[in-house]
Amino acid sequence: MRNRNATAYRFLAPYLLIFSVFWVWPIISSFMISFQATRTVPWRFAPGFNWGRLIGDPAFFNALKNTLLILVIQVPVMIALAMVMAVLLNSPLLKARGLYRFAFFAPVVVGEVAYSAVFRLMFSLDFGIVNKLLNSVGLPKVDWFSNVTPAMALIMIAVTWRWAGYNAIILLAGMQSIPEDVYEAATLDRVSKLKQFFYITLPLLKPVIVFCLVLSIIGTMQLFTEPFLITERGGPGGGTETLGLLLYRQGFRSLNFGYASAVAYTMAALAIAITLVQLWLTREKQ
Amino acid sequence: MATVTLSNVVKRFGVFEVVHGANIDIKHGEFVVFVGPSGCGKSTLLRMIAGLEDISGGEIAIGGKLVNDVEPADRGIAMVFQSYALYPHMSVEQNLSFGLRMTGNPKADTDRRVKRAAEILRISELMDRRPKKLSGGQRQRVAIGRAIVREPQVFLFDEPLSNLDAELRVQMRVEISRLHKELGATMIYVTHDQTEAMTLADRIVVLRAGHIEQIGRPLDLYDDPDNLFVAGFVGSPKMNFIKAQIVGHDARGVVVELAGQEKTRITQPLAGAAPEAGSKVIVGVRPEHFGSAGEGGTDLVVAIDVVEHLGGTSFLYARTAHGEDVVIQRDAAKVPTTSEVTISIRKSYLFDEKGLRLR
Ligand SMILES: Nc1ncnc2c1ncn2[C@@H]1O[C@H](COP(=O)(O)OP(=O)(O)OP(=O)(O)O)[C@@H](O)[C@H]1O
Ligand SMILES: [Mg+2]
């Protein structure tokens, strides 16, 4: 047995080596960098330097607030929307199912830069189709890019557009794995379609929903592209700056690697903490 | 009264017709088994009675009331699925009470029905468990329990025992029989296992490829099959079929000569018109209808290949001089020791070329 394990490890060795050098080491290294003052040459070990700054940095708390706000509003709305889409996709009444499945999944495949450009156009103040539509139903134009609240809404709309279909496909796969005869039994039990959804589909889909939530939480914690490209580097005035953007600004604009590492670790720790709470809340009770 | 009547029932999937006009009359309290090979349309027929499949043609009535357009839940039926179809995330108790709870049945009544079903099926001590933590037999009981709490007029079973091992199957078979006596409800039961059909049924409906081949009491089907298919399907080991030819008639009936064996002639009384001499026919002999040479009937020489000893009885796998396989049942004490023996055909059935019984 031990012999066979040794052989297996020898086969795994090349992968483990690369994994250690390019994954494990950077993770450890960046953790150590977060304890160093990196604006001086040479870098110097100063445990409180970056972490101390983090605790009192208004820019950090602004980014944290924005990130959590997006998390709390956008993720549940998106999952609910994805659920509705999945139910529709799963309906036997639907024609051309493949087409819809493709259409829902397509946003994920579209290049981030291209989609951001299209969103900027669609939401532009004077020429955007969105404001034209608002006008046509008698609503006033919205200046999406220069006020904080509409800008945040825009980010959430964009992220939702991009990822709702993706989650819908995952939920659909989960739905299709529930055996048909369970629903037939419920139908014979005189249980309405709506109750079947709430008492059978939702509970049986719980693991898949949790999976989607965890993926979305991790994704939103790292949110970068949309506020960078659509609202131009977290504009207006840092109103849509996320932790991912702050990290980028510190690491790559100011070359303050120590502080950027501290931000990165905070993001990861938050994502893990929220996910654990999530898993604990939805654990299998018995 | 929970009678079930099918008149000219047809089922099509697209252009594909899978049930071709079924007529079945099921009496109140009767236990009727649909039996037939895989794909013959048993489940489809059952699901049409349940309302899970549309009826493409004909009429289905339950308790004298036409149900073609009645919702499944309003037909007064309950169904037990082959896969059990239990709600995996609910305890046994919740599985049993789910339908009643969802439809606002009074709690006291729900509790009473669940308790009674659990007692009938002896699953009272499993009430808090999830289906995953039950054995196959226990799951089966829960599935049946879920049907019982609905207090239906008609129970429908779709191969409920096919996922169980042989021993448990026999045990559950007895339980289902007991349940039928206890509840007195009409039961329709689908299986492809003819033993199950024979042991459970008041009446059996034999299906093949969407056609009803014969309807009758188990022993009637066994003793008096209408055609080759029913004769071969009912009984285990199955009836032996030997090719033959009509050579003439005498005072006692029609005279048949086994193919390739001029000396082996059987005289069979016929009530109906006999086919003319020279027509090809098939002689069917059940394994237990072979006797020892000279016991009466027609003697036949066979070569024995294999002997299977089952204890009290034995089965001899043999070949006729013409090369046709036959299975012969014998008392263990009377198994011949030579490889070639003469046996006698004590009783036989005659079928014409199309497979219809000649009688
Ligand atoms: N939804 C469907 N669409 C098309 N054809 C179907 C459908 N359901 C069943 N069939 C066909 O109808 C025929 C009868 O099927 P059915 O399930 O009733 O057979 P069965 O007698 O229950 O067989 P088994 O013993 O394997 O369960 C089969 O040829 C099957 O392929
Ligand atoms: Mg079937």
Side-chain angles (χ1 to χ4, degrees):
Chain A
M1 205 60 215
R2 184 172 302 160
N3 222 334
R4 267 167 59 189
N5 280 349
T7 312
Y9 277 115
R10 251 175 273 151
F11 275 109
L12 283 172
Y15 166 74
L16 289 177
L17 191 72
I18 291 170
F19 179 75
S20 315
V21 172
F22 291 100
W23 279 89
V24 180
W25 176 243
I27 289 171
I28 297 170
S29 165
S30 67
F31 188 59
M32 293 186 325
I33 290 175
S34 78
F35 290 103
Q36 299 183 30
T38 52
R39 294 307 261 305
T40 55
V41 182
W43 294 357
R44 132 183 97 72
F45 182 70
F49 189 75
N50 297 314
W51 292 100
R53 175 175 169 192
L54 191 80
I55 297 168
D57 185 357
F60 168 73
F61 282 101
N62 174 54
L64 182 64
K65 186 200 77 192
N66 289 341
T67 306
L68 292 181
L69 198 65
I70 296 174
L71 191 79
V72 168
I73 299 173
Q74 183 264 331
V75 172
V77 168
M78 176 182 70
I79 299 293
L81 197 67
M83 184 64 83
V84 173
M85 288 158 77
V87 169
L88 293 180
L89 273 179
N90 202 25
S91 160
L93 301 174
L94 185 76
K95 301 265 187 297
R97 188 179 318 267
L99 194 68
Y100 286 98
R101 233 176 3 215
F102 169 74
F104 285 169
F105 199 72
V108 180
V109 201
V110 174
E112 300 180 316
V113 177
Y115 121 84
S116 300
V118 172
F119 260 78
R120 280 188 65 82
L121 277 176
M122 287 191 345
F123 284 82
S124 101
L125 178 59
D126 292 316
F127 313 108
I129 182 150
V130 175
N131 276 344
K132 288 229 167 72
L133 285 176
L134 287 179
N135 261 339
S136 71
V137 294
L139 293 170
K141 280 186 190 173
V142 176
D143 191 350
W144 295 97
F145 298 99
S146 23
N147 295 311
V148 174
T149 309
M152 281 291 272
L154 173 54
I155 296 293
M156 294 182 204
I157 292 170
V159 176
T160 303
W161 178 82
R162 187 132 196 262
W163 293 105
Y166 177 82
N167 286 291
I169 300 291
I170 296 177
L171 291 171
L172 177 66
M175 270 178 205
Q176 287 177 341
S177 74
I178 302 174
E180 185 57 31
D181 54 16
V182 172
Y183 292 104
E184 290 182 344
T187 305
L188 292 181
D189 267 349
R190 208 188 275 276
V191 179
S192 68
K193 282 270 179 278
L194 194 67
K195 281 188 172 164
Q196 287 181 22
F197 176 77
F198 283 108
Y199 289 92
I200 296 175
T201 309
L202 272 191
L204 289 181
L205 222 48
K206 200 169 79 177
V208 183
I209 297 173
V210 170
F211 174 74
C212 285
L213 280 173
V214 168
L215 276 192
S216 305
I217 289 168
I218 293 171
T220 302
M221 285 309 293
Q222 302 177 347
L223 189 62
F224 174 80
T225 310
E226 285 81 3
F228 185 79
L229 290 176
I230 299 180
T231 54
E232 285 192 288
R233 307 196 174 184
T240 59
E241 184 170 75
T242 57
L243 288 174
L245 223 51
L246 175 68
L247 166 71
Y248 165 80
R249 193 153 59 83
Q250 288 299 330
F252 295 92
R253 311 285 302 175
S254 319
L255 301 181
N256 190 353
F257 298 116
Y259 192 48
S261 294
V263 173
Y265 263 88
T266 313
M267 284 164 65
L270 274 172
I272 291 171
I274 296 173
T275 302
L276 285 179
V277 169
Q278 170 79 27
L279 289 176
W280 184 76
L281 284 176
T282 57
R283 73 198 179 284
E284 193 75 17
K285 293 182 193 87
Q286 190 151 41
Chain B
M1 291 289 274
T3 57
V4 178
T5 313
L6 281 69
S7 329
N8 287 316
V9 170
V10 172
K11 178 67 191 179
R12 276 182 293 266
F13 289 109
V15 293
F16 202 63
E17 191 170 295
V18 298
V19 175
H20 320 281
N23 290 292
I24 308 172
D25 245 318
I26 298 170
K27 293 194 258 315
H28 173 76
E30 204 175 13
F31 197 123
V32 170
V33 175
F34 294 174
V35 69
S38 197
C40 68
K42 311 178 291 286
S43 298
T44 306
L45 216 46
L46 197 72
R47 291 168 58 82
M48 280 195 281
I49 298 172
L52 296 172
E53 297 284 357
D54 293 335
I55 301 163
S56 315
E59 294 182 341
I60 296 182
I62 297 176
K65 186 171 150 255
L66 187 69
V67 294
N68 280 36
D69 298 317
V70 175
E71 287 295 312
D74 299 326
R75 295 190 181 192
I77 52 102
M79 182 153 166
V80 178
F81 294 81
Q82 174 175 359
S83 57
Y84 316 136
L86 298 177
Y87 309 120
H89 56 298
M90 298 184 198
S91 68
V92 169
E93 199 274 333
Q94 290 167 326
N95 259 285
L96 295 183
S97 62
F98 182 61
L100 295 172
R101 273 186 288 127
M102 288 297 110
T103 49
N105 195 57
K107 175 140 191 348
D109 182 56
T110 304
D111 289 347
R112 179 189 63 77
R113 292 200 204 181
V114 169
K115 190 153 167 284
R116 174 163 163 269
E119 275 162 12
I120 292 176
L121 295 164
R122 297 183 219 118
I123 49 173
S124 303
E125 68 286 5
L126 305 175
M127 295 308 264
D128 295 328
R129 292 214 209 150
R130 295 268 177 95
K132 222 188 311 182
K133 298 198 173 151
L134 299 176
S135 70
Q138 290 168 335
R139 281 180 211 179
Q140 188 55 65
R141 278 167 219 265
V142 178
I144 297 173
R146 200 171 52 182
I148 292 178
V149 296
R150 297 204 51 214
E151 302 186 345
Q153 299 181 299
V154 181
F155 281 86
L156 308 176
F157 296 90
D158 192 355
E159 308 213 19
L161 307 186
S162 58
N163 288 339
L164 303 180
D165 62 42
E167 199 178 325
L168 205 51
R169 203 145 60 206
V170 175
Q171 191 186 329
M172 284 305 292
R173 208 160 73 198
V174 176
E175 295 233 358
I176 289 176
S177 245
R178 180 175 64 87
L179 195 70
H180 179 234
K181 286 209 187 71
E182 217 164 304
L183 300 175
T186 310
M187 293 190 174
I188 306 178
Y189 186 105
V190 162
T191 178
H192 59 253
D193 177 353
Q194 61 93 23
T195 317
E196 246 172 56
M198 293 294 280
T199 50
L200 282 171
D202 292 327
R203 272 195 309 156
I204 297 179
V205 177
V206 183
L207 291 156
R208 177 172 64 154
H211 289 285
I212 294 178
E213 295 284 322
Q214 191 173 354
I215 304 180
R217 290 180 309 189
L219 287 182
D220 291 346
L221 295 190
Y222 188 82
D223 289 333
D224 196 13
D226 278 350
N227 53 51
L228 207 59
F229 178 77
V230 175
F233 196 81
V234 175
S236 169
K238 59 186 278 193
M239 188 186 279
N240 298 293
F241 296 123
I242 307 169
K243 289 203 191 75
Q245 188 174 7
I246 294 196
V247 289
H249 307 262
D250 66 15
R252 290 181 297 140
V254 63
V255 182
V256 175
E257 179 185 291
L258 298 195
Q261 307 183 76
E262 280 155 34
K263 292 200 202 84
T264 318
R265 291 189 165 188
I266 299 170
T267 309
Q268 181 98 18
L270 280 188
E276 60 201 48
S279 334
K280 298 237 181 311
V281 291
I282 290 166
V283 172
V285 187
R286 293 213 178 270
E288 67 270 31
H289 291 155
F290 287 113
S292 305
E295 273 188 359
T298 308
D299 284 356
L300 177 69
V301 179
V302 295
I304 295 171
D305 287 334
V306 178
V307 181
E308 247 179 33
H309 297 287
L310 298 182
T313 54
S314 300
F315 291 107
L316 319 181
Y317 293 82
R319 259 173 305 122
T320 65
H322 193 51
E324 281 171 305
D325 292 326
V326 290
V327 182
I328 302 156
Q329 185 182 335
R330 271 294 155 86
D331 277 353
K334 291 196 202 156
V335 172
T337 44
T338 51
S339 71
E340 219 172 66
V341 288
T342 308
I343 55 172
S344 72
I345 298 172
R346 291 194 318 230
K347 182 176 177 189
S348 59
Y349 301 84
L350 213 53
F351 303 92
D352 69 12
E353 262 187 305
K354 292 198 205 84
L356 287 179
R357 174 87 179 280
L358 296 169
R359 53 186 162 192

